[in-house]
Amino acid sequence: MSETARSAQPSFQAGHLPAPDTVVVPGVCCFADDRWDLTPLSPRPTARHMAINFARCPEPFRDDFRHMLYLLLNVDMPMERLNRVASVRRRVAPSTVKGISEDTLPFLNWLHQRRVPTLAAMTDSELRAYAHHVREEPLTDLPKQRRLFAVSRFWLMAPYLRPSAQLRQPHWELEGIQEVLGSVPWTAENKTKPIHPATMSALLMWSLRLVEDGQRVATILARDLPKSTQPDDYPAGLLTWFGDTPITDPARARQVLSAACLITIAYLTGMRSDEVFGLGRGCCAPSVTQSGTATSYEIQGRSFKTAFRNGVQIPEGKERTVPWRAVKPVADAIAVMEQLHGNDRLFSETLLKRFDNGTNHSSRPPDSHRVSEGLRALINWSNSRASAMGRPHEQIPSDPDGPVSMRRLRRTLAWFIYRRPGGRVALGIQYGHLQLHTTEGYGNRVSAGLRHVFPLEEAFTLRDTLQEAAERFDAGSGVSGPAADRYRRAASEFNARYQGLTLNARQAGDMLANPGLRLYDSPDQLIACCFDATKALCRRDAPPPGTPDTRSHSLR
């Protein structure tokens, strides 16, 4: 395909295939190409290689398959054709188009095996046969639903497709996908497992220690000292956490320090992976009071998941109108990364892997494999140092639910905030002002992206507390004190209304709004609280925040 042809503007005419030289990705691929590389269409920091190989599609359906994917990239999907409410965007991201292609290929291969000549020739009985085929596949519920909705997209896009590709309305769009596949219980609860408290506590402790020494270690790494240099040659005042690693193994020191900074920034701000890896040099500045004291820090960056223009997602994201608020350890971690290398982007893939050359840094953000490599190195190195320093009790234990990941960090922050009454992050190392900046900062801004997570997590925490109370009563335990009757009533009401249910969003909201169910256990004291914000002595000097202050002596 010539460069002139590739420079043609994307175009389409309803009912007709685009011209073979119609550009899909400028300078990369055209409509008739057997392989589309969509990677340049997604400039998000975490975007990875996205290619669609049309040789995997049966030849009779290949052009219509191309056409449907091309339309998804360039045309709003006519959602008004649906007879149901669906949380589906009219225009999907390139990464979603790649996923849709994978969900559609099994359908087209199934058609080819049954010798169905065209999509338009498919009968209702054949659609029902395919639905039965999907239902019997050894897949979990969500992939099955995606496969059926991939077929629905062909029907939705039928007004734009050529006549031979205009699929009839699938019966599951009339009867309901869940009814066709079988009942699929839905819950608003985040299925991502939070990191175990023992693992997270020790991991954060070591990360903060290394960040504390980070700027001096970065100075050592920048000097390119010979390996014969002894620890006594360190700059005066260097602390002991790194030992002689910056001298004996500078590549490992660089990797471990980068991973520690990543944990500190990601966990203590709640940023998504794209947001962390999109941070650039100079992004952090102190928020100074009139007295000149820096009480917190502001971080400028970009939003990606919530970046839309006229209902269409902006692949490159957009600048946040409201900065993140952070505490000093986060600002220190950013300063360390700025000193560790000269790139504009704080994190790159080379910083999280062990490499010998400390000068040739890639500007490419790390992928999930590289992040996992860096976090494993941090954990293994920290455990070795704990043993070498005679501190085996400070080793980072393995998480029973699997490796630490960026997605789990964000989930763990929300989990800890609402598993502790008053919204404190209890991780062994306490920052008294962290809760204020984190929960108030995120709770007051929709754009921060955690606002929807906290109320649901609070509801699920309340559910767990009430369920445990009900189970204790069933086992014969008792309770005493001025609020004992209210405690028993709360457990009884929970038993009658919610026991055994998988909470949906409406039920979670009802539970939070019920003043009779505001039951809190304090892990620090042998006491429980039936909280009433209008009477609580622990909140007499402050506006009611909706949760008790279990640190208050008035709880005794």
Side-chain angles (χ1 to χ4, degrees), residues 370-428:
R370 191 66 68 209
V371 171
S372 297
E373 179 184 346
L375 296 184
R376 281 196 306 271
L378 169 62
I379 292 171
N380 292 337
W381 182 91
S382 299
N383 288 343
S384 295
R385 284 294 295 154
S387 296
M389 297 176 70
R391 298 168 177 257
H393 58 286
E394 293 182 354
Q395 289 191 339
I396 303 171
S398 298
D399 190 302
D401 290 312
V404 175
S405 67
M406 294 289 286
R407 182 180 179 85
R408 293 186 68 198
L409 283 176
R410 180 176 163 84
R411 163 71 166 138
T412 305
L413 174 62
W415 190 91
F416 270 113
I417 285 175
Y418 274 110
R419 297 287 153 159
R420 297 289 297 186
R424 291 183 295 136
V425 180
L427 294 173

Side-chain angles (χ1 to χ4, degrees), residues 26 58 104 116 121 140 149 161 163 180 231 256 297 300 326 350 366 396 416 431 444 482 537:
T104 308
V116 178
T140 57
F149 194 65
L161 296 168
V180 170
V256 167
Y297 295 81
Q300 300 288 346
T350 48
I396 303 171
F416 270 113
Y431 287 88
N444 293 333
L537 295 179

Side-chain angles (χ1 to χ4, degrees), residues 303-317:
S303 295
F304 294 89
K305 187 174 181 178
T306 58
F308 288 88
R309 183 183 295 116
N310 300 324
V312 178
Q313 191 167 30
I314 307 171
E316 67 274 16

Side-chain angles (χ1 to χ4, degrees), residues 43-62:
R44 294 177 65 155
T46 57
R48 290 297 163 242
H49 188 63
M50 298 179 296
I52 300 174
N53 182 6
F54 291 100
R56 297 170 58 201
C57 177
E59 196 279 331
F61 301 105
R62 198 168 297 166

